[in-house]
């Protein structure tokens, strides 16, 4: 096999494990940050400062009894978490996290730091993240439990409602970049205006960025929009009946989805791997990518532990009556400006 | 290695990992079944009736409105890609299209299809 293919395969496997590790790290930081916000210490027993806590949790979950309600639909019941986790992993495939590298001259031709550079990347992201809703609805339906079913239905209604604004916010970037490839979109954001302001799309369509972030929170079912698992009303929503590793897969999927939504936001609006000052060499781009994604993830966690949950009717009203018109007007305004300036 | 193959590989890895874990936990976890554990969870009360009862019609309504608007979005994507060639002619046409859609939007808003909790109830 030629070395470029081997390097690419290694890269794919590395990204796969990086996604898993990122979920574990994210869980740790979420608990630590939550603890700090509530003036607690958080996990502290397992390893120095509790850093091994996620690992301990996974091992514990693995050795728990796998419960399945008698009335549940066996195949769909086990298919649901598998579907959720698979969709979560696959969505990251088209996100570029750095420019090209030859691994310090190890390879003849450079490889791109990305699983696949397809020319319809945005549509792929859109398609695969929408698949996530199937896992949740199937989980809710197959469990044959009232809380699960209601959680699944709510989640489906919520996700499809916010998907419209999500798609319209993406379309605004599409108009600006005139490309569906995430790599090309990032490359369009290179350089600076007046030598100081980076040419990021967040400055061209700030409204689009805000709409995207709000819709992204709703799409990943995170607080303040975490209705599918609103504890006070629905116990644990769609995964009430799940235990052991199938529960862990839903958990994993949620965190991997957060990473993907943030990574796509960084690529679309925050200049991907380009650094804001233009000082660091290009091969260190992935560090900037990590920094930006971490910042967005911190924002996610911060929001969860700061804002109370909305009411369900407020959520639907906000999605349909505020976010959708705003996203549409934003798209038309951006398109108008693009035609105006040529 | 170009095109879609890498995505399929990543998809396969994810699938194998997820399915493997579900399978694994069937073997390593303890087993002590009891009728209470096999019943659906209802906060400790004995389960009443079936979960698959009639649900609010609003879920259905949201799904239907979503379909209509999603087609609009699907229509806007190719337009967004071709905007630089279509210029003002294409822009005005889409403006008319959105305006037509807007009348429908106002109609469902006034009809109360977007309100989750109606005050009459």
């Amino acid at each position: 096999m030629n070395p470029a293919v081997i390097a690419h395969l290694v890269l794919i496997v590395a990204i796969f494990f990086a996604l898993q590790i990122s979920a574990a790290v994210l869980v740790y930081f979420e608990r630590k940050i939550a603890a700090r916000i509530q003036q607690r210490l958080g996990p502290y027993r397992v390893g120095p400062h509790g850093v091994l806590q996620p690992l301990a949790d996974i091992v514990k979950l693995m050795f728990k009894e796998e419960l399945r309600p008698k009335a549940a639909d066996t195949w769909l019941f086990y298919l649901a978490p598998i579907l959720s986790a698979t969709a979560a992993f696959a969505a990251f495939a088209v996100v570029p996290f750095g420019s090209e590298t030859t691994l310090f001259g190890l390879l003849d031709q450079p490889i791109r730091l990305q699983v696949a550079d397809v020319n319809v990347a945005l549509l792929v992201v859109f398609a695969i993240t929408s698949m996530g809703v199937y896992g949740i609805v199937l989980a809710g339906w197959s469990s044959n439990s009232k809380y699960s079913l209601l959680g699944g239905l709510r989640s489906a209604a919520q996700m499809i409602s916010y998907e419209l604004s999500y798609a319209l916010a993406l379309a605004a970037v599409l108009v600006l970049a005139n490309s569906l490839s995430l790599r090309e979109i990032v490359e369009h954001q290179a350089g600076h205006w007046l030598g100081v302001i980076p040419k990021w799309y967040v400055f061209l369509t700030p409204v689009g960025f805000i709409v995207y972030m709000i819709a992204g929170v709703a799409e990943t079912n995170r607080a303040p929009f975490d209705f599918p698992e609103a504890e006070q009303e629905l116990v644990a929503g769609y995964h009430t009946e799940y235990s052991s590793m199938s529960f862990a897969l839903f958990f994993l999927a949620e965190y991997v989805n957060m990473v993907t939504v943030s990574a796509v936001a960084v690529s679309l609006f925050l200049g991907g791997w380009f650094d804001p000052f233009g000082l660091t060499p290009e091969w260190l781009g992935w560090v900037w990518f990590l920094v930006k994604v971490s910042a967005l993830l911190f924002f996610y966690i911060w929001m969860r532990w700061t804002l109370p949950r909305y009411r369900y009717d407020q959520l639907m009203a906000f999605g349909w009556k505020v976010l959708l018109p705003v996203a549409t007007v934003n798209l038309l305004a951006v398109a108008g400006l693009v035609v105006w300036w040529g | 290695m170009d095109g879609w193959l890498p995505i399929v590989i990543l998809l396969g890895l994810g699938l194998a990992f997820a399915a493997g874990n579900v399978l694994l936990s069937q073997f390593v976890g303890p087993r002590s079944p009891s009728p209470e554990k096999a019943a659906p969870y209802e906060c400790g009360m004995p389960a009443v009736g079936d979960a698959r009862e009639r649900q609010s019609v609003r879920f259905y309504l949201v799904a239907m409105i979503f379909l209509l608007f999603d087609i609009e979005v699907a229509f806007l994507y190719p337009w967004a890609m071709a905007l630089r060639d279509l210029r003002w002619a294409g822009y005005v046409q889409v403006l008319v299209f959105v305006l037509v859609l807007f009348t429908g939007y106002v109609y469902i808003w006034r009809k109360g299809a977007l309100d989750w909790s109606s005050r009459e109830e």
Side-chain angles (χ1 to χ4, degrees):
Chain A
M1 262 203 294
N2 97 48
V5 173
I6 296 173
H8 200 164
L9 282 175
V10 170
L11 184 72
I12 295 172
V13 176
I15 288 173
F16 178 66
F17 284 110
L19 279 174
Q20 287 181 20
I21 293 167
S22 73
V25 171
L26 200 54
V27 172
Y28 172 74
F29 275 106
E30 166 132 52
R31 295 181 65 174
K32 271 295 189 196
I33 292 168
R36 290 292 168 182
I37 288 175
Q38 299 171 341
Q39 312 242 335
R40 295 182 284 119
L41 280 174
Y44 221 90
R45 295 291 172 94
V46 195
H49 289 264
V51 287
L52 296 179
Q53 187 67 44
L55 210 67
D57 287 343
I58 291 169
V59 173
K60 182 197 74 179
L61 277 169
M62 201 171 278
F63 289 100
K64 287 287 176 191
E65 184 176 0
E66 179 92 49
L67 293 173
R68 181 171 55 81
K70 215 170 105 202
D73 188 322
T74 316
W75 284 105
L76 293 181
F77 188 77
Y78 289 121
L79 180 67
I82 296 174
L83 209 64
S84 271
T86 310
F89 280 120
F92 196 82
V94 290
V95 179
F97 56 92
S99 55
E100 297 175 327
T101 180
T102 55
L103 298 175
F104 304 106
L106 212 65
L107 299 167
D108 299 334
Q109 73 242 50
I111 60 163
R112 291 167 170 171
L113 289 176
Q114 184 179 12
V115 171
D117 183 20
V118 291
N119 55 1
V120 289
L122 259 185
L123 293 183
V124 173
V125 168
F126 198 44
I128 299 181
T129 49
S130 318
M131 287 295 290
V133 76
Y134 284 106
I136 290 175
V137 169
L138 279 182
W141 170 258
S142 66
S143 297
N144 208 348
S145 155
K146 294 181 184 109
Y147 298 116
S148 299
L149 184 57
L150 203 53
L153 280 175
R154 273 192 185 188
S155 175
Q158 168 181 343
M159 283 170 93
I160 60 176
S161 298
Y162 279 76
E163 206 165 286
L164 294 170
S165 316
Y166 189 81
L168 285 169
L170 291 185
V173 173
L174 189 61
V175 168
L176 286 171
N178 201 26
S179 165
L180 277 164
S181 155
L182 278 176
R183 178 165 290 270
E184 274 175 35
I185 290 173
V186 172
E187 275 162 2
H188 273 293
Q189 300 178 62
H192 295 77
W193 289 297
L194 310 169
V196 278
I197 311 165
K199 284 188 176 172
W200 296 351
Y201 287 151
V202 64
F203 299 116
L204 287 177
T205 166
V207 178
F209 178 64
I210 293 167
V211 169
Y212 177 91
M213 285 309 286
I214 296 174
V217 173
E219 288 282 304
T220 48
N221 297 320
R222 291 280 300 181
F225 299 139
D226 54 346
F227 295 93
E229 38 192 319
E231 291 90 350
Q232 296 91 330
E233 307 156 27
L234 293 177
V235 190
Y238 62 92
H239 58 54
T240 302
E241 300 290 351
Y242 283 86
S243 58
S244 188
M245 279 319 271
S246 21
F247 165 74
L249 286 177
F250 278 123
F251 206 68
L252 180 77
E254 179 185 330
Y255 282 87
V256 173
N257 276 332
M258 269 168 75
V259 173
T260 306
V261 167
S262 304
V264 172
V266 165
S267 303
L268 291 179
F269 296 101
L270 300 176
W273 63 83
F274 291 113
D275 85 297
F277 314 112
L279 297 174
T280 46
E282 184 140 0
W283 63 271
L284 275 176
W286 58 274
V287 176
W288 276 107
F289 182 79
L290 274 183
V291 168
K292 290 175 191 174
V293 171
S294 310
L296 284 188
L297 287 173
F298 174 75
F299 177 71
Y300 258 85
I301 295 171
W302 186 16
M303 200 154 56
R304 171 167 176 189
W305 298 98
T306 306
L307 299 174
R309 187 180 298 126
Y310 278 76
R311 245 177 24 232
Y312 196 69
D313 61 308
Q314 290 174 326
L315 166 96
M316 296 307 268
F318 182 71
W320 284 102
K321 295 181 180 174
V322 180
L323 218 53
L324 184 62
V326 166
T328 312
V329 169
N330 175 56
L331 173 63
L332 290 175
V334 168
L337 285 177
V338 164
V339 177
W340 184 269
W341 293 104
Chain B
M1 201 159 56
D2 274 328
W4 298 89
L5 187 63
I7 298 183
V8 176
I9 294 175
L10 191 66
L11 201 78
L13 279 175
L15 192 67
F17 171 80
N21 266 315
V22 168
L23 213 63
L24 186 72
S25 69
Q26 306 286 327
F27 295 114
V28 296
R31 289 266 147 196
S32 59
S34 76
E36 284 74 29
K37 279 187 195 167
Y41 181 78
E42 291 205 1
C43 305
M45 308 289 278
V48 179
D50 192 58
R52 290 164 189 171
E53 286 173 350
R54 299 208 298 179
Q55 298 288 338
S56 172
V57 72
R58 291 180 200 284
F59 289 115
Y60 177 70
L61 211 57
V62 164
M64 237 167 54
I65 301 171
F66 163 75
L67 271 184
L68 296 176
F69 281 89
D70 206 35
I71 292 167
E72 172 221 58
V73 173
F75 181 72
L76 286 177
Y77 266 62
W79 165 74
M81 277 301 282
L83 183 68
R84 273 156 220 254
D85 302 323
L86 299 173
R87 307 200 61 78
W88 285 117
Y91 186 77
V92 171
Q93 281 170 10
V94 159
L95 217 56
V96 172
F97 170 70
V98 171
L99 214 65
V100 172
L101 211 86
F102 181 72
T103 50
Y105 179 72
V106 169
Y107 175 75
I108 56 171
W109 186 325
R110 292 294 298 272
K111 274 285 184 185
L114 302 179
D115 296 314
W116 199 261
S117 59
S118 53
R119 279 172 211 93
E120 289 85 24
E121 280 172 9

